[in-house]
Coordinates of all heavy atoms in Angstrom, one line a residue:
M1 N 0.8 -1.2 0.0 CA 0.0 0.0 0.0 C 0.9 1.2 0.0 O 1.7 1.4 0.9 CB -0.9 0.0 1.3 CG -2.0 -0.9 1.1 SD -3.1 -1.1 2.5 CE -3.5 0.6 3.0
W2 N 0.6 2.1 -1.0 CA 1.3 3.4 -1.1 C 0.4 4.5 -0.7 O -0.7 4.6 -1.2 CB 1.9 3.6 -2.4 CG 2.9 2.7 -2.8 CD1 3.9 2.2 -2.0 CD2 3.1 2.2 -4.1 NE1 4.8 1.4 -2.9 CE2 4.3 1.3 -4.1 CE3 2.5 2.3 -5.4 CZ2 4.8 0.7 -5.2 CZ3 3.0 1.6 -6.4 CH2 4.1 0.8 -6.4
F3 N 0.8 5.3 0.1 CA -0.1 6.5 0.6 C -1.5 6.1 1.1 O -2.4 6.7 0.9 CB -0.2 7.5 -0.6 CG 1.0 7.9 -1.1 CD1 1.4 7.5 -2.5 CD2 1.9 8.6 -0.4 CE1 2.6 8.0 -3.1 CE2 3.1 9.0 -1.0 CZ 3.5 8.7 -2.3
G4 N -1.6 4.8 1.6 CA -2.8 4.3 2.1 C -3.7 3.8 1.1 O -4.9 3.6 1.4
I5 N -3.3 3.7 -0.2 CA -4.2 3.2 -1.2 C -3.7 1.9 -1.7 O -2.5 1.6 -1.9 CB -4.0 4.2 -2.5 CG1 -4.4 5.6 -2.2 CG2 -4.9 3.7 -3.6 CD1 -4.3 6.6 -3.2
P6 N -4.7 0.8 -1.8 CA -4.3 -0.5 -2.2 C -3.7 -0.5 -3.6 O -3.9 0.3 -4.5 CB -5.6 -1.3 -2.2 CG -6.6 -0.4 -1.4 CD -6.2 1.0 -1.6
I7 N -2.8 -1.5 -3.8 CA -2.1 -1.6 -5.1 C -3.0 -1.9 -6.3 O -2.7 -1.4 -7.4 CB -1.0 -2.8 -5.0 CG1 0.0 -2.7 -6.2 CG2 -1.6 -4.1 -5.0 CD1 1.1 -1.9 -6.0
W8 N -4.1 -2.5 -6.1 CA -5.0 -2.8 -7.1 C -5.7 -1.4 -7.7 O -6.0 -1.3 -8.9 CB -6.1 -3.8 -6.8 CG -7.1 -3.3 -5.7 CD1 -6.9 -3.5 -4.3 CD2 -8.3 -2.5 -5.9 NE1 -8.0 -2.9 -3.8 CE2 -8.9 -2.3 -4.7 CE3 -9.0 -2.1 -7.1 CZ2 -10.1 -1.6 -4.5 CZ3 -10.1 -1.5 -6.9 CH2 -10.7 -1.2 -5.6
V9 N -5.7 -0.5 -6.8 CA -6.3 0.8 -7.3 C -5.2 1.5 -8.3 O -5.6 2.0 -9.4 CB -6.5 1.7 -6.1 CG1 -6.9 3.2 -6.6 CG2 -7.7 1.2 -5.3
F10 N -3.9 1.3 -8.0 CA -2.9 1.8 -8.9 C -2.9 1.1 -10.2 O -2.8 1.7 -11.3 CB -1.5 1.7 -8.2 CG -1.3 2.8 -7.2 CD1 -1.1 2.4 -5.9 CD2 -1.2 4.1 -7.6 CE1 -0.9 3.3 -4.9 CE2 -1.0 5.1 -6.6 CZ -0.8 4.7 -5.3
F11 N -3.2 -0.2 -10.2 CA -3.3 -1.0 -11.3 C -4.4 -0.6 -12.2 O -4.4 -0.5 -13.5 CB -3.4 -2.5 -11.1 CG -2.0 -3.1 -10.7 CD1 -2.0 -3.9 -9.5 CD2 -0.9 -3.0 -11.5 CE1 -0.8 -4.5 -9.2 CE2 0.3 -3.6 -11.1 CZ 0.4 -4.3 -10.0
C12 N -5.5 -0.3 -11.6 CA -6.7 0.2 -12.3 C -6.5 1.5 -13.0 O -6.8 1.8 -14.1 CB -8.0 0.3 -11.3 SG -8.6 -1.3 -10.8
I13 N -5.8 2.4 -12.3 CA -5.5 3.7 -12.9 C -4.5 3.5 -14.1 O -4.7 4.2 -15.1 CB -4.8 4.7 -11.7 CG1 -5.9 5.0 -10.7 CG2 -4.2 5.9 -12.4 CD1 -5.4 5.7 -9.6
V14 N -3.5 2.7 -13.9 CA -2.6 2.5 -15.0 C -3.3 1.9 -16.2 O -3.0 2.2 -17.4 CB -1.4 1.5 -14.5 CG1 -0.6 1.0 -15.7 CG2 -0.5 2.3 -13.6
L15 N -4.3 0.9 -16.0 CA -5.0 0.3 -17.1 C -5.9 1.3 -17.7 O -6.1 1.2 -19.0 CB -5.8 -0.9 -16.5 CG -5.0 -2.1 -16.1 CD1 -5.8 -3.2 -15.5 CD2 -4.1 -2.6 -17.4
I16 N -6.4 2.3 -17.0 CA -7.3 3.2 -17.6 C -6.4 4.1 -18.5 O -6.8 4.4 -19.7 CB -7.9 4.2 -16.6 CG1 -9.0 3.4 -15.8 CG2 -8.4 5.4 -17.1 CD1 -9.6 4.1 -14.5
F17 N -5.2 4.5 -18.1 CA -4.3 5.3 -19.0 C -3.9 4.5 -20.3 O -3.8 5.1 -21.3 CB -3.1 5.8 -18.2 CG -3.4 7.0 -17.4 CD1 -3.4 7.0 -16.0 CD2 -3.7 8.2 -17.9 CE1 -3.7 8.0 -15.2 CE2 -4.0 9.4 -17.1 CZ -4.0 9.3 -15.8
V18 N -3.6 3.3 -20.0 CA -3.1 2.4 -21.2 C -4.3 2.3 -22.2 O -4.1 2.3 -23.4 CB -2.7 1.0 -20.7 CG1 -2.5 0.0 -21.8 CG2 -1.3 1.2 -19.8
S19 N -5.5 2.1 -21.6 CA -6.7 1.9 -22.5 C -6.9 3.2 -23.3 O -7.2 3.1 -24.5 CB -7.9 1.6 -21.7 OG -9.0 1.6 -22.4
G20 N -6.7 4.4 -22.7 CA -6.9 5.7 -23.3 C -5.8 5.8 -24.4 O -6.1 6.3 -25.5
A21 N -4.6 5.5 -24.1 CA -3.5 5.6 -25.1 C -3.8 4.6 -26.3 O -3.6 5.1 -27.5 CB -2.2 5.3 -24.4
M22 N -4.2 3.5 -26.1 CA -4.5 2.6 -27.2 C -5.7 3.0 -27.9 O -5.7 2.9 -29.2 CB -4.9 1.2 -26.6 CG -3.7 0.5 -25.8 SD -2.3 0.2 -27.0 CE -3.0 -1.3 -27.8
A23 N -6.7 3.6 -27.4 CA -7.8 4.2 -28.1 C -7.4 5.3 -29.0 O -7.8 5.4 -30.1 CB -8.9 4.7 -27.1
F24 N -6.6 6.2 -28.4 CA -6.0 7.3 -29.2 C -5.2 6.9 -30.4 O -5.3 7.4 -31.5 CB -5.1 8.2 -28.2 CG -4.6 9.4 -29.0 CD1 -5.4 10.5 -29.3 CD2 -3.2 9.5 -29.3 CE1 -4.8 11.6 -30.0 CE2 -2.6 10.5 -29.9 CZ -3.4 11.6 -30.3
R25 N -4.4 5.8 -30.1 CA -3.6 5.3 -31.1 C -4.4 4.7 -32.3 O -4.1 4.9 -33.5 CB -2.6 4.2 -30.5 CG -1.5 3.8 -31.4 CD -0.6 2.9 -30.6 NE -0.1 1.9 -31.5 CZ 0.5 0.8 -31.0 NH1 0.6 0.6 -29.8 NH2 1.0 -0.1 -31.9
S26 N -5.4 4.0 -31.9 CA -6.2 3.4 -32.9 C -7.1 4.4 -33.8 O -7.3 4.3 -34.9 CB -7.2 2.3 -32.4 OG -8.1 2.9 -31.5
M27 N -7.4 5.5 -33.0 CA -8.2 6.5 -33.6 C -7.3 7.3 -34.7 O -7.8 7.6 -35.8 CB -8.6 7.5 -32.6 CG -9.5 8.7 -33.1 SD -10.0 9.9 -31.8 CE -8.4 10.5 -31.2
R28 N -6.1 7.5 -34.4 CA -5.1 8.1 -35.3 C -4.9 7.2 -36.5 O -4.9 7.7 -37.6 CB -3.8 8.4 -34.7 CG -3.7 9.6 -33.8 CD -2.4 10.0 -33.3 NE -1.4 9.9 -34.3 CZ -0.1 9.7 -34.0 NH1 0.3 9.5 -32.8 NH2 0.8 9.6 -35.0
A29 N -4.7 5.9 -36.2 CA -4.5 4.9 -37.4 C -5.8 4.9 -38.3 O -5.6 4.9 -39.6 CB -4.3 3.5 -36.9
E30 N -6.9 4.9 -37.7 CA -8.2 4.9 -38.5 C -8.2 6.2 -39.3 O -8.7 6.1 -40.5 CB -9.4 4.8 -37.6 CG -10.7 4.7 -38.4 CD -11.8 4.4 -37.4 OE1 -11.7 3.8 -36.3 OE2 -13.1 4.8 -37.8
Y31 N -7.9 7.3 -38.8 CA -8.0 8.6 -39.5 C -7.0 8.6 -40.6 O -7.4 9.0 -41.8 CB -7.5 9.7 -38.5 CG -7.4 11.0 -39.2 CD1 -8.6 11.8 -39.6 CD2 -6.1 11.6 -39.6 CE1 -8.4 13.0 -40.2 CE2 -6.0 12.8 -40.2 CZ -7.1 13.5 -40.5 OH -7.0 14.7 -41.1
H32 N -5.8 8.0 -40.6 CA -4.9 8.0 -41.6 C -5.3 7.0 -42.7 O -5.2 7.3 -43.9 CB -3.5 7.5 -41.1 CG -2.7 8.6 -40.4 ND1 -2.4 9.8 -40.9 CD2 -2.4 8.7 -39.0 CE1 -1.8 10.5 -40.0 NE2 -1.8 9.9 -38.9
M33 N -6.0 5.9 -42.3 CA -6.5 4.9 -43.4 C -7.7 5.6 -44.1 O -7.8 5.5 -45.3 CB -7.0 3.7 -42.6 CG -5.9 2.8 -42.2 SD -6.4 1.3 -41.3 CE -7.9 0.8 -42.2
E34 N -8.5 6.4 -43.4 CA -9.6 7.0 -43.9 C -9.1 8.1 -45.0 O -9.6 8.3 -46.1 CB -10.5 7.7 -43.0 CG -11.7 8.3 -43.5 CD -12.6 8.8 -42.4 OE1 -12.8 8.2 -41.4 OE2 -13.1 10.0 -42.5
Q35 N -8.0 8.9 -44.6 CA -7.5 9.8 -45.5 C -6.9 9.3 -46.7 O -7.1 9.8 -47.9 CB -6.4 10.7 -44.8 CG -7.0 11.6 -43.7 CD -8.0 12.6 -44.3 OE1 -7.7 13.2 -45.3 NE2 -9.0 12.8 -43.6
Q36 N -6.3 8.1 -46.6 CA -5.7 7.4 -47.8 C -6.8 6.9 -48.7 O -6.7 7.0 -50.0 CB -4.9 6.2 -47.4 CG -3.5 6.5 -46.7 CD -2.8 5.4 -46.3 OE1 -3.3 4.3 -46.1 NE2 -1.5 5.6 -46.0
S37 N -7.9 6.4 -48.2 CA -9.0 6.0 -48.9 C -9.6 7.2 -49.7 O -10.0 7.0 -50.9 CB -10.1 5.4 -48.0 OG -11.2 5.1 -48.7
I38 N -9.8 8.3 -49.1 CA -10.3 9.5 -49.7 C -9.5 10.0 -50.8 O -9.9 10.3 -52.0 CB -10.5 10.6 -48.7 CG1 -11.7 10.3 -47.7 CG2 -10.8 12.0 -49.3 CD1 -11.8 11.2 -46.5
E39 N -8.1 9.8 -50.6 CA -7.1 10.2 -51.7 C -7.2 9.3 -52.9 O -7.2 9.8 -54.0 CB -5.7 10.2 -51.1 CG -4.6 10.5 -52.0 CD -4.6 12.1 -52.4 OE1 -5.1 12.9 -51.6 OE2 -4.1 12.4 -53.4
Q40 N -7.4 8.0 -52.7 CA -7.5 7.1 -53.8 C -8.8 7.3 -54.5 O -8.8 7.3 -55.8 CB -7.5 5.7 -53.2 CG -6.1 5.3 -52.8 CD -6.1 3.8 -52.1 OE1 -7.2 3.3 -51.9 NE2 -5.0 3.3 -51.9
E41 N -9.9 7.6 -53.8 CA -11.2 7.9 -54.5 C -11.1 9.1 -55.2 O -11.6 9.2 -56.4 CB -12.4 8.0 -53.4 CG -12.6 6.6 -52.8 CD -13.7 6.8 -51.8 OE1 -14.4 7.8 -51.7 OE2 -13.9 5.8 -51.0
G42 N -10.4 10.1 -54.8 CA -10.3 11.4 -55.5 C -9.4 11.1 -56.8 O -9.7 11.7 -57.8
Q43 N -8.4 10.3 -56.7 CA -7.5 10.1 -57.9 C -8.4 9.3 -59.0 O -8.2 9.6 -60.1 CB -6.3 9.2 -57.5 CG -5.3 9.9 -56.6 CD -4.7 11.2 -57.4 OE1 -4.6 11.2 -58.6 NE2 -4.4 12.2 -56.7
I44 N -9.2 8.4 -58.5 CA -10.1 7.7 -59.5 C -11.0 8.7 -60.2 O -11.2 8.6 -61.3 CB -10.8 6.5 -58.7 CG1 -9.8 5.5 -58.3 CG2 -12.0 6.0 -59.6 CD1 -10.4 4.4 -57.4
Y45 N -11.6 9.5 -59.3 CA -12.5 10.5 -59.8 C -11.9 11.5 -60.8 O -12.5 11.7 -62.0 CB -13.1 11.3 -58.7 CG -14.1 12.4 -59.1 CD1 -15.4 12.0 -59.6 CD2 -13.8 13.7 -59.1 CE1 -16.3 13.0 -60.0 CE2 -14.7 14.7 -59.5 CZ -16.0 14.3 -59.9 OH -16.8 15.3 -60.3
L46 N -10.6 11.9 -60.6 CA -10.0 12.7 -61.4 C -9.6 12.0 -62.8 O -9.7 12.6 -63.8 CB -8.7 13.3 -60.9 CG -8.9 14.3 -59.7 CD1 -7.6 14.8 -59.1 CD2 -9.6 15.6 -60.3
A47 N -9.2 10.8 -62.7 CA -8.9 10.0 -63.9 C -10.1 9.9 -64.7 O -10.1 10.0 -66.0 CB -8.4 8.6 -63.5
R48 N -11.3 9.6 -64.1 CA -12.6 9.5 -64.9 C -12.9 10.8 -65.6 O -13.4 10.8 -66.7 CB -13.7 9.1 -64.0 CG -13.6 7.6 -63.6 CD -14.8 7.2 -62.8 NE -14.7 5.9 -62.4 CZ -15.5 5.3 -61.4 NH1 -16.4 6.1 -60.8 NH2 -15.3 4.0 -61.1
M49 N -12.6 11.9 -64.9 CA -13.0 13.2 -65.5 C -12.1 13.5 -66.6 O -12.5 14.0 -67.7 CB -12.8 14.3 -64.5 CG -13.9 14.4 -63.4 SD -13.6 15.7 -62.2 CE -13.6 17.1 -63.2
E50 N -10.7 13.1 -66.6 CA -9.8 13.3 -67.7 C -10.2 12.4 -68.9 O -10.2 12.9 -70.0 CB -8.5 12.9 -67.2 CG -7.8 14.0 -66.5 CD -7.6 15.3 -67.2 OE1 -7.2 15.3 -68.4 OE2 -7.7 16.4 -66.5
E51 N -10.7 11.2 -68.6 CA -11.1 10.3 -69.7 C -12.3 10.9 -70.3 O -12.4 10.9 -71.7 CB -11.4 8.9 -69.2 CG -10.2 8.1 -68.8 CD -10.6 6.8 -68.0 OE1 -11.8 6.5 -68.0 OE2 -9.7 6.2 -67.5
E52 N -13.2 11.4 -69.7 CA -14.4 12.1 -70.2 C -14.1 13.2 -71.0 O -14.6 13.4 -72.1 CB -15.5 12.4 -69.1 CG -16.8 13.0 -69.7 CD -17.6 12.0 -70.4 OE1 -17.4 10.8 -70.3 OE2 -18.4 12.5 -71.2
K53 N -13.2 14.0 -70.6 CA -12.8 15.1 -71.3 C -12.1 14.8 -72.6 O -12.4 15.4 -73.6 CB -11.8 15.9 -70.5 CG -11.3 17.3 -71.0 CD -10.5 18.0 -70.0 CE -9.9 19.4 -70.5 NZ -9.0 20.0 -69.5
E54 N -11.2 13.8 -72.6 CA -10.6 13.3 -73.8 C -11.6 12.7 -74.7 O -11.5 13.0 -76.0 CB -9.6 12.2 -73.4 CG -8.3 12.8 -72.8 CD -7.4 11.7 -72.4 OE1 -7.5 10.5 -72.8 OE2 -6.4 12.0 -71.6
R55 N -12.6 12.0 -74.3 CA -13.6 11.4 -75.1 C -14.4 12.5 -75.8 O -14.7 12.5 -77.0 CB -14.6 10.6 -74.3 CG -15.6 9.8 -75.1 CD -16.6 9.0 -74.3 NE -17.4 9.9 -73.5 CZ -18.5 10.5 -73.9 NH1 -18.8 10.5 -75.2 NH2 -19.2 11.2 -73.1
R56 N -14.7 13.6 -75.0 CA -15.6 14.7 -75.6 C -14.7 15.4 -76.7 O -15.2 15.8 -77.7 CB -16.0 15.7 -74.6 CG -17.1 15.1 -73.7 CD -17.5 16.1 -72.7 NE -18.6 15.6 -71.9 CZ -19.2 16.2 -70.9 NH1 -18.8 17.5 -70.6 NH2 -20.1 15.7 -70.2
N57 N -13.4 15.6 -76.5 CA -12.5 16.3 -77.4 C -12.4 15.4 -78.7 O -12.4 15.9 -79.7 CB -11.2 16.5 -76.9 CG -11.2 17.6 -75.8 OD1 -12.1 18.6 -75.9 ND2 -10.1 17.8 -75.0
R58 N -12.3 14.1 -78.5 CA -12.3 13.3 -79.8 C -13.5 13.3 -80.4 O -13.5 13.4 -81.7 CB -12.0 11.9 -79.3 CG -10.4 11.5 -79.1 CD -10.2 10.1 -78.9 NE -10.0 9.8 -77.5 CZ -10.7 8.9 -76.7 NH1 -11.4 8.1 -77.2 NH2 -10.4 8.9 -75.4
H59 N -14.6 13.3 -79.8 CA -16.0 13.3 -80.4 C -16.1 14.7 -81.1 O -16.6 14.8 -82.2 CB -17.0 13.1 -79.4 CG -18.5 13.1 -80.0 ND1 -18.8 12.1 -80.8 CD2 -19.5 14.1 -79.9 CE1 -20.0 12.4 -81.2 NE2 -20.4 13.5 -80.7
R60 N -15.7 15.7 -80.5 CA -15.7 17.1 -81.1 C -14.9 17.2 -82.4 O -15.3 17.8 -83.4 CB -15.3 18.2 -80.1 CG -15.6 19.5 -80.5 CD -15.4 20.5 -79.4 NE -16.2 20.2 -78.2 CZ -15.9 20.5 -77.0 NH1 -14.8 21.0 -76.7 NH2 -16.8 20.2 -76.0
K61 N -13.7 16.6 -82.4 CA -12.8 16.6 -83.6 C -13.4 15.8 -84.7 O -13.3 16.2 -85.9 CB -11.5 16.0 -83.2 CG -10.6 17.0 -82.4 CD -9.3 16.4 -82.0 CE -8.5 17.3 -81.1 NZ -7.3 16.7 -80.8
V62 N -14.1 14.7 -84.5 CA -14.8 13.9 -85.4 C -15.9 14.6 -86.1 O -16.1 14.7 -87.3 CB -15.3 12.5 -84.8 CG1 -16.1 11.9 -85.8 CG2 -14.1 11.7 -84.4
M63 N -16.6 15.4 -85.3 CA -17.7 16.2 -85.8 C -17.3 17.4 -86.8 O -18.0 17.8 -87.7 CB -18.6 16.7 -84.6 CG -19.2 15.7 -83.9 SD -20.3 14.7 -84.7 CE -21.8 15.6 -84.7
L64 N -16.1 17.8 -86.6 CA -15.6 18.9 -87.3 C -15.1 18.4 -88.6 O -15.1 18.4 -89.6 CB -14.5 19.7 -86.6 CG -14.9 20.5 -85.4 CD1 -13.7 21.1 -84.7 CD2 -15.9 21.6 -85.8

């Protein structure tokens, strides 16, 4: 017993902090994964827009 507090209370406090740190760590990892997913979807969208633009330009040239 330290300072009149049982050792199991200290263990509970330590486990609370460890749990909070793990939750924060997983939250950051999930945020980074989400950002990567958004970036990939944006790249796909931009590629589709470029393809559509090229298709329209080709179609416009054929019509002239």
Side-chain angles (χ1 to χ4, degrees):
M1 283 177 48
W2 293 322
F3 308 111
I5 300 172
I7 192 91
W8 65 270
V9 174
F10 285 113
F11 283 130
C12 287
I13 293 170
V14 168
L15 290 176
I16 288 170
F17 281 110
V18 169
S19 176
M22 296 295 281
F24 179 74
R25 191 171 149 199
S26 67
M27 182 179 60
R28 280 187 45 207
E30 185 176 334
Y31 173 78
H32 288 296
M33 286 175 42
E34 187 175 315
Q35 290 301 316
Q36 287 177 348
S37 174
I38 290 170
E39 181 70 26
Q40 287 175 349
E41 289 177 13
Q43 292 297 328
I44 291 170
Y45 180 74
L46 289 175
R48 286 182 183 168
M49 286 179 59
E50 284 295 321
E51 289 173 8
E52 180 66 20
K53 186 177 181 181
E54 289 174 12
R55 186 185 66 79
R56 287 183 181 179
N57 285 338
R58 275 188 261 132
H59 182 70
R60 193 173 293 152
K61 287 179 183 178
V62 171
M63 296 301 277
L64 293 176

